[in-house]
Amino acid sequence: WYHLHYRPLALLSYTAIYGVFDMDPAMFHAACALLHGIATAALLCLLAALGFEAGVCLATAFLFAAHPLHVEAVAWISGMIEPLTTALVLLSLLCFVRRQQTLSLLLGGCAMLVKETALILPALVFVIAWWRQSRDGHVRPWRAAGMSLPYVPLAAAYLVARSFITKPPPPEFAWFVVTNGPAMAAATLTRYLQLIFCPWPMALSYRAEGIAWQVTTLGAVAVVVFLASRAGKFGGDLQLAIALMLLPLVTPVLASPMMAEGMRVQDRYAYQATAGGCLLVALLAAELLGGFRRSRFKTQGLLGICLLLVPLGSLAIYRQTAFWQDGLTLWSHTIDLVPESEWAAHALGLEVDQRKNLAQAERVILRGLHYHPYSKLLSHDLELIRKKQHPEAARGFQHGWTG
């Protein structure tokens, strides 16, 4: 039950690549890069269709294309689901803005069958409809709700189909979520917000932030939202950017109590949310350059800011991809950043064990047990490694021998 996955189109996507190109990893990586390009282009077209200035559209697209947080989603074949889902969601929103509702619903349904995070599509449609009305000065919530209503049956149909495939969680899990869920959700959301605006250093496992940092981060977001609500047209644009950033985080944040400790925050889960973060940065930069009366200079100034940020992002991407060459480098990097990670110690121990370096694998597991002395997972790993080191003693133990 804890897998909670019903992603038929994602599996079909992998199957299609395999059916045409067999197990050639270059083709899987090419598909990831292509989907990232499509998602970037869809974001650019969506912002243009919403009426944002050319400079804001280009700046957002450039920042999104070179965001270091996307390394896991684009460089890791298993992360291909993220750009695929995001591309479908953004294309669905683009068709909605262009009043091509049938195509928008079709793309939205496909996005939900790729990954559960697309279930926020009705909320995204409502926010965009509300924002467009506020720009025109005629806010009618019931009309925005009516525009998003056709997307609700899509989500309901997906949830019904999913209920026949996945198993429900056990009853005791509900009590665990009630008692531990809010704290886990706050810590997870705080880390995602930090990674969107300060994506370095990155790893497959992160340590939990302290309460003080959580309160400070979430309080800053609340202040920005409050100030935006009183800033007229510019405030509405900021609210849209914040909604595009926070709504895609709803699913990974709510699902965090179901994930293993140390694996609750994954870079790839924030892939779509970075679109809103990049738009927020572009809007703030445009406001700082608002003193230019001619839009041409304003656009040039925004692109100039991108010329500073995009190379930094590209450098971070280049540095980060070096850790994705194989499992050994990936988990070694994670252990260096988060030495207390139980999951990283387990994974690194397995990687070293597969390379027949049993002594090194034992040291890795013992180091993990130093931080987690009562870990059943690491204790089991250590037992298996020592049986491989001393097979005769292991066979003797099985026959009831002692000593």
Side-chain angles (χ1 to χ4, degrees), residues 365-400:
I365 299 301
L366 287 174
R367 183 184 181 185
L369 284 169
H370 171 73
Y371 292 98
H372 304 277
Y374 303 107
S375 170
K376 295 181 179 180
L377 177 65
L378 296 179
S379 298
H380 179 66
D381 291 341
L382 184 62
E383 180 184 355
L384 293 179
I385 291 171
R386 286 181 171 173
K387 282 183 179 181
K388 292 180 181 180
Q389 288 177 318
H390 308 286
E392 295 182 358
R395 285 196 296 271
F397 178 78
Q398 290 174 358
H399 287 285

Side-chain angles (χ1 to χ4, degrees), residues 62-63 66 68 281 285 302-315:
F62 280 134
L63 295 174
V281 172
L302 276 173
L303 296 181
I305 292 175
C306 289
L307 289 177
L308 294 176
L309 295 178
V310 170
L312 289 176
S314 301
L315 177 61

Side-chain angles (χ1 to χ4, degrees), residues 148-166:
S148 63
L149 189 61
Y151 297 84
V152 175
L154 279 180
Y158 168 82
L159 291 174
V160 170
R162 187 175 178 279
S163 67
F164 288 103
I165 302 298
T166 60

Side-chain angles (χ1 to χ4, degrees), residues 22-318:
D22 199 51
M23 288 295 290
D24 184 0
M27 294 299 102
F28 285 90
H29 286 301
C32 289
L34 176 63
L35 289 170
H36 179 52
I38 294 174
T40 304
L43 176 61
L44 175 64
C45 294
L46 173 62
L47 295 179
L50 289 173
F52 284 101
E53 297 177 355
V56 172
C57 299
L58 290 172
T60 304
F62 280 134
L63 295 174
F64 181 82
H67 201 295
L69 199 62
H70 297 166
V71 171
E72 184 178 323
V74 182
W76 193 22
I77 293 173
S78 295
M80 188 184 76
I81 297 173
E82 307 301 333
L84 176 57
T85 306
T86 301
L88 289 170
V89 168
L90 293 176
L91 288 172
S92 176
L93 293 175
L94 175 61
C95 291
F96 165 74
V97 174
R98 292 181 174 177
R99 306 192 181 200
Q100 299 171 328
Q101 190 171 54
T102 301
L103 184 55
S104 176
L105 290 169
L106 177 62
L107 291 169
C110 291
M112 294 176 189
L113 293 174
V114 173
K115 193 175 180 184
E116 303 82 6
T117 51
L119 289 171
I120 62 165
L121 186 60
L124 290 174
V125 171
F126 174 81
V127 167
I128 289 178
W130 180 297
W131 173 80
R132 296 181 77 187
Q133 291 178 18
S134 65
R135 266 201 161 188
D136 298 334
H138 304 286
V139 179
R140 299 175 182 175
W142 59 267
R143 187 175 180 184
M147 292 181 178
S148 63
L149 189 61
Y151 297 84
V152 175
L154 279 180
Y158 168 82
L159 291 174
V160 170
R162 187 175 178 279
S163 67
F164 288 103
I165 302 298
T166 60
K167 297 179 180 179
E172 60 269 18
F173 181 72
W175 175 248
F176 174 80
V177 171
V178 170
T179 55
N180 299 280
M184 292 181 181
T188 303
L189 178 59
T190 303
R191 174 62 75 172
Y192 278 129
L193 293 174
Q194 175 194 334
L195 288 171
I196 289 174
F197 296 105
C198 184
W200 188 267
M202 294 169 288
L204 264 183
S205 182
Y206 295 97
R207 59 170 57 94
E209 298 288 359
I211 297 297
W213 180 253
Q214 295 177 30
V215 172
T216 301
T217 303
L218 298 179
V221 173
V223 169
V224 171
V225 173
F226 174 75
L227 294 176
S229 66
R230 299 177 174 273
K233 177 181 175 181
F234 175 67
D237 294 346
L238 289 182
Q239 288 179 326
L240 175 65
I242 293 171
L244 293 178
M245 178 180 64
L246 293 181
L247 285 175
L249 293 176
V250 169
T251 303
V253 167
L254 293 181
S256 59
M258 307 175 194
M259 301 180 186
E261 185 179 359
M263 302 295 287
R264 295 189 178 108
V265 176
Q266 299 287 278
D267 296 348
R268 64 188 185 277
Y269 296 158
Y271 180 89
Q272 183 178 337
T274 56
C278 292
L279 175 59
L280 182 61
V281 172
L283 288 171
L284 292 174
E287 185 67 12
L288 290 175
L289 297 169
F292 291 111
R293 295 183 179 180
R294 298 176 62 182
S295 60
R296 181 170 65 89
F297 292 115
K298 191 173 182 179
T299 300
Q300 291 175 348
L302 276 173
L303 296 181
I305 292 175
C306 289
L307 289 177
L308 294 176
L309 295 178
V310 170
L312 289 176
S314 301
L315 177 61
I317 289 172
Y318 174 75

